[in-house]
Amino acid sequence: KFLDGQTAPDKPEIIKCRSPEKETFSCWWKPGSDGGLPTNYTLLYSTEKHPEIMECPDYKTSGPNSCYFDKKHTSLWTIYTIVVNATNEKGSNASNPKFVDVTYIIEPYPPTNVSLTVEKTHLLVKWLPPSMADIKYGWLTLVYELRLKAEKAQEWVTHSAGQQTQFNVLSLHPGETYVVQVRCKPDHGFWSQWSPETYIQIPNTFQERD
Amino acid sequence: KFLDGQTAPDKPEIIKCRSPEKETFSCWWKPGSDGGLPTNYTLLYSTEKHPEIMECPDYKTSGPNSCYFDKKHTSLWTIYTIVVNATNEKGSNASNPKFVDVTYIIEPYPPTNVSLTVEKTHLLVKWLPPSMADIKYGWLTLVYELRLKAEKAQEWVTHSAGQQTQFNVLSLHPGETYVVQVRCKPDHGFWSQWSPETYIQIPNTFQERD
Amino acid sequence: LPICPNGSVNCQISTGDLFDRAVKLSHYIHSLSSEIFNEFDERYAQDRGFITKSINACHTSSLNTPEDKAQAQQIQHEELLNLVLRVLRSWNDPLVHLVSEVQGIKEAPDTILWKAVEIEEQTKRLLEGMEKIVKRVQPGDLGNEVYSLWPGPQDVQVADEDSRLFAFYNLLHCLRRDSHKIDNYLKLLKCRLIHDSSC
């Protein structure tokens, strides 16, 4: 039978797990070769409080080769032991286990509604937290960073805004066009992507501070 | 007896209390007249948690007419009621009480690593916040001010840099040497000392802005 | 000595200010706990599989703490405050032990020692603040049950290096976890009690 080149599938690899708002999370895996046969993937997991083996509750929501854990299946401060099995007619192969505590895999979506307003002596940058993040209740605390540069410049200038959702940028050149982006990070977690670029031209009437 | 001009000392005045990092703090007082007699000063304090009167733990560390409260004697959670007594042979006199909440008397150390870079049309001044836990972890926002003057000039030109840790200074004269200093202040607190003087000579090739 | 300026009756630090300071301190303590764990993990625990052994091995695991937002929303703030107090108290002895034992780790960098000392000191400060907040929020009995969920350092005395290193790893792993819980719950309580759940 082995002459027809068909074998058990290779070992898959769990590449990443992320939570966007500390209430749900997803994991993605990379399949190995399928041994030339239709191969099925199952994600199995257990947690400290529920050591019995459970299967991924939702293989769809986060796209191909993924598992999505909704609020009911997501707990913090507990280690998830996660394994992905690849199975075909010839046999099966399990990934290395991945140990995940949702507390430490939080990567929010970027801030939204970035607005730029030229004031007399500075540029006021304002934004909103990512829509899915429940900041009001205090379950998630975000800090922000913004960067800007003259359109043709290479170097970004970065400013840390702490927990504020606005920042005054000074020493800008009249007539120049600037591009601005903002990103956020949970108090203890990963930086989001930068928000889409927002542009503004500084009018010639702008008073350079001096 | 009063004919010999000797009297009880005047009422001393507690002039200021400062904390550089909310872990320790010091108070200073200004003695009144000593009534022509050797006069002794004692600083007494009480807190909500320890209403009994306690004496200054260390009269030396912060210099003359001062009291230094080390970590063991500094609490974030209480208001200190502080009084200074002046006593000599003829009697004693107490200052007005001063009420101190350590979080609101922060006078941080000055900014550090002030660097000056001459760019085509402006001088780029950059610095780092003083090393203080709250700042590093994004929980205390500082605002900054910088001042500069031509080396031989009398008058300083001061710029407010908001929360930025860099600033572009324009309209400088080629060939001139400038001296620059930076200071910082927390929301509820006092300006730090100015950073040590930093010098830079503007090259003749510098393009003065019209 | 008059307690307050010009005779005002209720001259004390506002509960909002107390919470602000507690949250800053808990944030700082957790940041340090993460750093000391990561430093120890990188230097001493690589490829030793300690994580599998540290499952369900925290001395505070038996405390029933909320583990998601829904559970946190259901719990009364008095209960959550007392939970924070209990978790904090359960770390008194382990932190004293950690500071004394860390000095015995082979070539332990100064940064690990400094952080252990700083965490112990700041945790004591936070406990002082929490006791004040709890007294302020629920003036009843503070309930100073003597707390020692921690079984004590027996593993750490054993000769073999692997067990000694695992005992440290597990202590730092649990410290990172519990300091994050405390930080999270305090931020949540601050929003709930001071900002009426509208942070």
Side-chain angles (χ1 to χ4, degrees):
Chain A
K1 267 263 169 182
F2 282 95
L3 292 181
D4 54 25
Q6 293 174 334
T7 64
D10 276 0
K11 192 160 84 160
E13 182 200 352
I14 301 172
I15 35 177
K16 184 165 102 158
C17 296
R18 282 291 181 274
S19 163
E21 69 323 54
K22 215 164 153 176
E23 297 186 52
T24 67
F25 75 103
S26 301
C27 290
W28 293 266
W29 66 82
K30 192 174 69 179
S33 101
D34 61 7
L37 283 165
T39 296
N40 183 39
Y41 294 89
T42 49
L43 180 141
L44 304 174
Y45 73 99
S46 63
T47 71
E48 285 183 64
K49 289 241 164 109
H50 303 286
E52 71 284 5
I53 305 287
M54 296 166 276
E55 189 176 354
C56 165
D58 173 347
Y59 287 103
K60 296 250 172 319
T61 298
S62 291
N65 300 319
S66 78
C67 176
Y68 172 70
F69 296 78
D70 63 9
K71 291 183 181 178
K72 235 173 41 186
H73 294 91
T74 299
S75 288
L76 267 77
W77 306 302
T78 185
I79 294 175
Y80 283 71
T81 305
I82 301 172
V83 168
V84 173
N85 271 337
T87 310
N88 68 18
E89 261 176 56
K90 297 286 181 183
S92 89
N93 222 325
S95 71
N96 291 336
K98 191 161 178 80
F99 302 99
V100 171
D101 184 332
V102 177
T103 313
Y104 305 112
I105 58 163
I106 301 162
E107 178 182 329
Y109 294 115
T112 56
N113 298 59
V114 176
S115 76
L116 308 178
T117 320
V118 178
E119 312 236 322
K120 223 174 77 185
T121 59
H122 58 267
L123 171 67
L124 172 60
V125 185
K126 292 179 98 167
W127 58 86
L128 292 177
S131 50
M132 292 174 66
D134 176 357
I135 313 289
K136 280 198 171 336
Y137 184 63
W139 182 253
L140 181 66
T141 304
L142 292 177
V143 290
Y144 300 93
E145 213 175 60
L146 67 101
R147 68 178 185 180
L148 91 167
K149 70 180 175 77
E151 206 176 3
K152 294 179 204 60
Q154 294 304 322
E155 293 288 315
W156 290 94
V157 174
T158 304
H159 300 294
S160 151
Q163 291 179 58
Q164 294 167 352
T165 53
Q166 63 177 61
F167 193 87
N168 291 335
V169 182
L170 308 161
S171 48
L172 299 167
H173 302 313
E176 188 76 76
T177 296
Y178 286 89
V179 51
V180 180
Q181 293 180 297
V182 190
R183 68 177 180 175
C184 58
K185 177 173 87 69
D187 45 5
H188 308 289
F190 297 99
W191 281 110
S192 70
Q193 299 298 313
W194 289 102
S195 61
E197 295 187 342
T198 314
Y199 292 80
I200 186 140
Q201 177 155 35
I202 308 297
N204 291 318
T205 54
F206 182 74
Q207 266 181 31
E208 269 179 287
R209 297 289 301 280
D210 223 322
Chain B
K1 266 257 166 195
F2 282 97
L3 293 180
D4 56 22
Q6 294 173 333
T7 65
D10 275 2
K11 187 159 88 160
E13 181 201 353
I14 301 174
I15 34 178
K16 72 173 182 179
C17 296
R18 291 289 182 273
S19 167
E21 64 333 49
K22 291 193 302 182
E23 306 240 326
T24 64
F25 74 100
S26 302
C27 291
W28 292 266
W29 66 81
K30 193 174 71 181
S33 101
D34 60 9
L37 285 163
T39 296
N40 181 40
Y41 293 90
T42 51
L43 180 142
L44 303 174
Y45 72 98
S46 70
T47 67
E48 290 160 58
K49 194 170 181 184
H50 303 288
E52 75 284 2
I53 309 292
M54 293 164 280
E55 189 175 354
C56 165
D58 172 350
Y59 286 102
K60 298 240 168 333
T61 298
S62 291
N65 300 320
S66 78
C67 177
Y68 172 70
F69 295 78
D70 62 9
K71 274 189 180 180
K72 227 163 37 130
H73 295 89
T74 299
S75 168
L76 269 181
W77 314 103
T78 184
I79 288 184
Y80 287 72
T81 302
I82 299 172
V83 166
V84 173
N85 271 342
T87 309
N88 68 19
E89 263 174 56
K90 298 286 182 184
S92 87
N93 222 324
S95 72
N96 293 336
K98 192 160 183 73
F99 303 94
V100 171
D101 176 345
V102 174
T103 299
Y104 288 105
I105 58 164
I106 298 175
E107 178 181 313
Y109 296 116
T112 58
N113 299 59
V114 177
S115 74
L116 309 178
T117 319
V118 178
E119 312 236 321
K120 229 172 60 188
T121 62
H122 57 268
L123 170 66
L124 171 60
V125 185
K126 290 180 104 170
W127 57 86
L128 293 177
S131 61
M132 197 178 147
D134 281 10
I135 298 164
K136 177 181 173 194
Y137 294 101
W139 283 82
L140 183 72
T141 42
L142 290 178
V143 290
Y144 299 93
E145 230 178 47
L146 68 98
R147 69 178 183 180
L148 91 167
K149 72 180 176 73
E151 205 177 4
K152 296 179 197 59
Q154 294 305 319
E155 291 296 313
W156 291 94
V157 173
T158 303
H159 299 284
S160 155
Q163 290 178 37
Q164 291 185 185
T165 52
Q166 62 179 67
F167 191 83
N168 294 337
V169 181
L170 310 162
S171 52
L172 298 165
H173 305 307
E176 186 73 76
T177 297
Y178 286 88
V179 51
V180 179
Q181 292 180 299
V182 189
R183 67 177 182 174
C184 56
K185 184 176 91 64
D187 299 344
H188 316 291
F190 302 92
W191 283 108
S192 71
Q193 299 299 311
W194 289 101
S195 62
E197 294 188 341
T198 314
Y199 292 81
I200 185 130
Q201 175 156 34
I202 308 299
N204 294 319
T205 53
F206 182 75
Q207 279 174 25
E208 241 183 307
R209 297 294 293 273
D210 41 26
Chain C
L1 281 173
I3 288 296
C4 290
N6 40 54
S8 63
V9 174
N10 196 358
C11 160
Q12 53 185 4
I13 296 175
S14 73
T15 308
D17 263 8
L18 291 176
F19 260 108
D20 253 350
R21 296 167 202 194
V23 159
K24 278 180 183 154
L25 213 41
S26 66
H27 182 94
Y28 178 44
I29 291 167
H30 174 65
S31 301
L32 287 175
S33 305
S34 281
E35 285 171 17
I36 197 173
F37 171 80
N38 294 331
E39 228 174 306
F40 184 91
D41 185 37
E42 268 153 44
R43 185 178 273 263
Y44 296 103
Q46 290 307 296
D47 311 324
R48 287 180 187 254
F50 283 164
I51 190 161
T52 52
K53 284 162 62 179
S54 64
I55 287 182
N56 272 328
C58 293
H59 66 285
T60 49
S61 301
S62 59
L63 286 176
N64 197 3
T65 54
E67 288 182 348
D68 57 44
K69 192 170 100 172
Q71 288 173 29
Q73 281 171 320
Q74 280 141 29
I75 192 170
Q76 294 298 317
H77 62 258
E78 292 87 353
E79 195 186 339
L80 196 50
L81 273 171
N82 280 312
L83 257 180
V84 168
L85 216 49
R86 292 173 76 179
V87 175
L88 268 174
R89 285 191 182 126
S90 70
W91 276 96
N92 273 345
D93 300 342
L95 285 175
V96 169
H97 159 73
L98 178 69
V99 168
S100 70
E101 283 301 311
V102 133
Q103 297 159 67
I105 302 178
K106 214 170 14 175
E107 300 135 34
D110 288 348
T111 50
I112 284 189
L113 178 59
W114 177 80
K115 286 181 176 128
V117 170
E118 182 75 351
I119 289 168
E120 197 224 344
E121 255 179 34
Q122 301 294 349
T123 303
K124 263 190 252 162
R125 280 177 103 198
L126 181 55
L127 183 55
E128 182 196 344
M130 281 314 301
E131 283 167 349
K132 179 145 197 175
I133 287 174
V134 169
K135 245 189 270 175
R136 183 79 65 82
V137 171
Q138 52 196 57
D141 156 38
L142 198 57
N144 197 0
E145 306 128 86
V146 174
Y147 244 84
S148 195
L149 287 169
W150 188 53
Q154 56 287 56
D155 292 355
V156 188
Q157 255 60 46
V158 298
D160 101 74
E161 163 121 76
D162 206 63
S163 302
R164 271 192 73 227
L165 285 177
F166 171 67
F168 266 113
Y169 174 92
N170 192 56
L171 205 55
L172 296 177
H173 158 73
C174 298
L175 177 62
R176 179 175 75 150
R177 170 178 287 186
D178 283 351
S179 61
H180 190 282
K181 280 185 181 180
I182 289 167
D183 188 41
N184 209 108
Y185 296 152
L186 282 179
K187 283 166 181 167
L188 192 133
L189 282 164
K190 181 185 157 204
C191 275
R192 208 196 272 186
L193 294 175
I194 309 300
H195 304 293
D196 206 14
S197 286
S198 175
C199 262

